[in-house]
Amino acid sequence: MRAWEVARPGPVEGEPLRLVEKPVPVPGPGELLVRVSAWGVCRTDLHVTEGDLPVHRPGVTPGHEVVGVVAGSGPGARGFAPGDRLGVAWLRRTDGTCAYCVRGAENLCPASEYTGWDADGGYAEYTTVPADFAHRLPEGVDSVALAPLLCAGIIGYRALRRAALPPGGRLGLYGFGGSAHLCAQLALAEGATVHVLTRDPAARRLALALGAASAGGAYDEPPERLDSAILFAPVGDLVPVALRALDRGGVLSVAGIHLSDVPPLRYESDLFYEKELRSVTSNTREDARAFLSLAARHGVRATTHVYPLSRAPEALRDLKAGRFDGAAVLVNESAPPA
């Protein structure tokens, strides 16, 4: 099969990825073999490729927003049959026994493993996934539209819940890429007023088209105080900006796995009046199930830009440069539609 590997982490303007021919993976105990149809291009893929995240598996195949069909199974794999469509997401495995897993916080499991970081992911024609961590997908939605939901959507959902937005509240979204534009749709469907703050004019236009009340520059003040805010841009300089935009008792959640350094905070202007700053770490399987159900109910859909498998480096470069709104999706041209 064809697969992309991170040959040497570095800037995507160089050649950190290489396209190779390798054997189709053999699913281990409890695992499924997946023929990949489409996969979203996530900013975490960029962090893995460029080395912002430490190397967990040399030569890893990135990708963790995968839609495909079951092509085989290892011993003891249950719950799916050959030909079933499924989704593969970021969280790949937990120990299931630690204190975090037992209390329902498996996203904090110290032994957790991740698709496209600890194990080869979806930038390939085939991948594997533990059956217990595979996701059933809504019917009637094509694979390209579904792929970004499997990380961008799920993480946006968790970030929204971490932001503790009150019913009918005022939400600020800093950055408006793949995850934010899905989060915005869910928040709007649930009755929020959404204000978007981003450097990208095309993203501001998309935000307004989706129903945002306003769309301004990343460092602008929103037109009203915010009950909650989510930082999607990996820019630490925006943390105090977003905190200052919060109303009393407001919450800022930071959605990214990587963030540039945060400048010093001023207690009086940035944190006083019981403002809160929260991080978001991965997701639980329950987050995924809840979000996919809500996305189906409310018609949450990704704005997508499609690239073939052979153009994966171009898609990552375009993501880094902000050349598209919404989300990029790579497709396996050799696979029948799923």
Side-chain angles (χ1 to χ4, degrees):
M1 70 170 187
R2 293 179 301 162
W4 287 96
E5 294 181 343
V6 181
R8 179 178 297 175
V12 290
E13 294 80 7
E15 296 183 353
L17 290 175
R18 66 182 173 201
L19 185 61
V20 300
E21 292 280 340
K22 61 194 297 186
V24 172
V26 177
E31 293 184 346
L32 302 168
L33 175 66
V34 180
R35 186 181 72 236
V36 176
S37 302
W39 60 101
V41 178
C42 180
R43 189 164 291 276
T44 302
D45 303 337
L46 186 63
H47 296 320
V48 169
T49 300
E50 295 201 312
D52 295 325
L53 296 178
V55 174
H56 279 194
R57 179 187 176 99
V60 73
T61 294
H64 56 275
E65 296 180 334
V66 182
V67 177
V69 298
V70 177
S73 59
R78 297 181 176 86
F80 293 87
D84 283 353
R85 187 169 72 156
L86 55 71
V88 181
W90 175 236
L91 185 66
R92 179 182 178 86
R93 199 186 307 272
T94 61
D95 63 23
T97 60
C98 70
Y100 305 100
C101 288
V102 169
R103 76 183 194 208
E106 65 181 5
N107 60 307
L108 301 179
C109 175
S112 56
E113 297 178 4
Y114 299 94
T115 309
W117 193 20
D118 295 292
D120 288 337
Y123 282 48
E125 293 176 318
Y126 289 86
T127 191
T128 62
V129 62
D132 289 344
F133 286 81
H135 298 287
R136 296 197 177 277
L137 300 174
E139 299 294 334
V141 184
D142 70 80
S143 297
V144 168
L146 282 171
L149 303 187
L150 289 161
C151 180
I154 296 168
I155 291 298
Y157 168 81
R158 186 168 185 87
L160 181 60
R161 296 299 181 246
R162 291 280 292 160
L165 181 68
R170 301 156 296 173
L171 174 67
L173 302 179
Y174 288 80
F176 203 70
S179 191
H181 91 293
L182 295 169
C183 177
Q185 292 176 60
L186 180 57
L188 288 164
E190 293 181 336
T193 298
V194 175
H195 299 286
V196 170
L197 302 111
T198 179
R199 66 181 182 178
D200 182 11
R204 292 198 289 269
R205 291 192 293 271
L206 175 60
L208 294 172
L210 290 173
S214 72
Y219 291 86
D220 292 348
E221 287 190 18
E224 59 181 340
R225 288 292 173 190
L226 306 172
D227 297 302
S228 303
I230 304 173
L231 177 57
F232 287 101
V235 182
D237 284 349
L238 287 172
V239 169
V241 173
L243 285 169
R244 285 193 291 271
L246 292 175
D247 204 349
R248 300 182 181 204
V251 177
L252 169 64
S253 68
V254 179
I257 191 173
H258 171 78
L259 186 71
S260 61
D261 289 345
V262 178
L265 300 176
R266 295 187 67 247
Y267 180 70
E268 292 82 359
S269 60
D270 301 342
L271 287 170
F272 196 52
Y273 294 119
E274 298 192 353
K275 297 179 183 180
E276 295 183 43
L277 174 60
R278 298 178 176 180
S279 64
V280 178
T281 299
S282 184
N283 62 274
T284 67
R285 283 171 285 178
E286 180 54 36
D287 290 330
R289 288 188 286 265
F291 171 71
L292 290 171
S293 176
L294 288 169
R297 182 189 312 167
H298 295 302
V300 175
R301 296 288 183 269
T303 297
T304 55
H305 304 270
V306 177
Y307 298 72
L309 166 68
S310 58
R311 290 168 55 194
E314 179 185 347
L316 284 170
R317 289 193 294 269
D318 288 350
L319 170 65
K320 183 178 180 179
R323 294 192 182 103
F324 53 77
D325 55 10
V329 177
L330 289 155
V331 295
N332 178 8
E333 317 98 292
S334 66

